[in-house]
Amino acid sequence: MSDTIFGKIVSGEIPSEFLYEDEHCVAINDISPQAPVHVLVIPKKGIPRLVDAQIEDQDLLGHLLLAAGNIAEQLGVAEAFRLIINNGSGAGQTVFHLHLHIIAGREFAEGHMAG
Ligand code: 5GP
């Protein structure tokens, strides 16, 4: 858990609708979607940024990728989605509890890394 808005969401302190939940993570709709599908995959463990993850988090990080793929399938966007992790405020991270953005449902410009 962490003392961020996402820590409160995963602990249930702030009630939210989970699109998906398992032992290690939850998925919610982004409050300010940037695309028709914009879902956040949030580990229950509160790691502030990706670079703060440690070797003991290796299984959790793999789990998050597999969960994101399963969630994309569940949402019907498995053929075309982007997975984004913003690391650090300079990269646009605003909530310091690691999370993955699943973005889909709009045209992606070829060759762009994001956006
Ligand atoms: P970041 O910029 O840190 O990678 O992403 C944080 C994301 O969380 C943003 O896309 C923002 O819209 C979303 N967000 C911030 N607060 C809340 C909230 O209380 N509920 C939900 N569902 N999303 C939130």
Side-chain angles (χ1 to χ4, degrees):
M1 306 299 172
S2 70
D3 198 23
T4 66
I5 190 106
F6 291 170
K8 293 183 173 121
I9 286 172
V10 296
S11 72
E13 188 180 333
I14 296 176
S16 301
E17 188 192 338
F18 294 157
L19 306 177
Y20 171 90
E21 179 176 16
D22 65 29
E23 195 186 341
H24 300 295
C25 65
V26 303
I28 59 172
N29 280 312
D30 196 290
I31 204 169
S32 176
Q34 305 299 307
V37 172
H38 188 168
V39 168
L40 304 171
V41 183
I42 308 173
K44 293 184 175 177
K45 180 177 179 181
I47 300 166
R49 302 168 303 168
L50 180 64
V51 290
D52 298 313
Q54 303 295 317
I55 192 69
E56 64 262 27
D57 298 315
Q58 187 164 262
D59 288 351
L60 173 61
L61 296 178
H63 180 87
L64 293 171
L65 289 180
L66 286 171
N70 290 336
I71 293 162
E73 281 186 336
Q74 182 185 309
L75 295 169
V77 300
E79 297 308 313
F81 68 95
R82 278 203 174 135
L83 204 54
I84 295 170
I85 297 174
N86 295 321
N87 183 93
S89 52
Q93 185 176 3
T94 57
V95 181
F96 287 83
H97 179 131
L98 177 68
H99 52 279
L100 287 61
H101 297 252
I102 299 173
I103 307 269
R106 64 172 167 80
E107 298 278 319
F108 294 119
E110 267 183 55
H112 285 203
M113 289 187 60

